[in-house]
Amino acid sequence: MNTVPQYSGELTSVVSPQHHAEPNGKPHSIEIRDVHKSFGDSVVLAGMDLSFADDAITTVLGPSGTGKSVLIKHIVGLLAPDSGEVRVFGQDIWGISEKERLDLRKRFGVLFQDGALFGSLNIYDNTAFPLRKHTDYSEAEISEIVMDGLIEVGLEQAIRKFPSEVSGGMRKRAGFARALVMKPDIVLFDEPDSGLDPVRTSLLCDLIIDMHERHKGTYLVVTHDIRSARKVSDYVGLIWKGKVVHYGEADAAFASEDPFVRQFLAGDSAGPLGMD
Ligand SMILES: Nc1ncnc2c1ncn2[C@@H]1O[C@H](COP(=O)(O)OP(=O)(O)OP(=O)(O)O)[C@@H](O)[C@H]1O
């Protein structure tokens, strides 16, 4: 069986587990407790422990194939852990009924890598989709919410266009507007910067910060783009080989002297991290 090789250096910066409650006594909105997940012989999550700060933007950084997308799928309830717990608003999402899990999922907004828009629907109908599916709002009410959202992301001129007729950046913004229409408490971004040039990436990061300021909530951004992480993060979690090896405030992480964290956040080839 392929077990996950462990970082052999000193992990002086490991801050885990993070199971304490927020200062107001509420549990964290998302808590990952000792989660293990394998696919066949391949271990992907190897005892992951992480709690996400409420009402903050946390970036989860990690090299390719280290389990970031698998982590997101656990949080939204698309994958079940082999062992350990995923707690959302204090509830173990695999200890509740399917209906409760689906209800919980309505409190999430998810922005997938390519925006995950329906190709056969225009930008307006894509954005309206969750409201039509999950609410009994009238078309007039839906129109108000959808247009407000599309104006916020700067797409009011493109509402009748289909995903194939707009740029990658516009598709992401449409995906973002759609992720927010249900007024989610938690928003997950799976590599929002993938496929974008540096300028569009930077603009999207501005939009993430702006929308978070307006709407609040727990934002979780998964990426391997260090520049994006530097720009948007209040907190940073570093994952490597299925484990969280550092979690803390972004400023402290970016100033860290720990060789692993430094190599990771500087994107250096020299340091304790290798290719294996
Ligand atoms: N449903 C699945 N069945 C089998 N293996 C899977 C499945 N989902 C993910 N994996 C494997 O889990 C590992 C981690 O994948 P994951 O997509 O989480 O990586 P990632 O950190 O998001 O990478 P990237 O930054 O390249 O997107 C990969 O080796 C992948 O092949």
Side-chain angles (χ1 to χ4, degrees), residues 39 42 44 62-71 73 113 191 224:
F39 296 104
S42 165
V44 178
S64 252
T66 202
K68 302 185 298 296
S69 301
V70 168
L71 171 65
K73 286 182 184 151
Q113 288 192 16
E191 297 191 20
H224 32 198

Side-chain angles (χ1 to χ4, degrees), residues 3 17 45 48 53-54 80 92 103 139 154 165 168 182 184 188-189 208-209 238 247:
T3 47
L45 302 184
M48 186 166 284
D54 281 340
D92 172 3
D103 283 343
E139 277 303 313
E165 299 173 323
M182 295 287 290
L188 308 177
F189 301 83
I208 291 173
I209 295 166
L238 304 183
Y247 173 82

Side-chain angles (χ1 to χ4, degrees), residues 27 30 43 47 52 60 74 88 98 114 117 122 189 196 229 244 264 270:
I30 308 171
V43 178
F52 292 93
V60 171
H74 276 79
V88 176
E98 194 173 345
D114 56 356
L117 302 174
N122 65 28
F189 301 83
L196 293 186
V244 177
F264 207 109

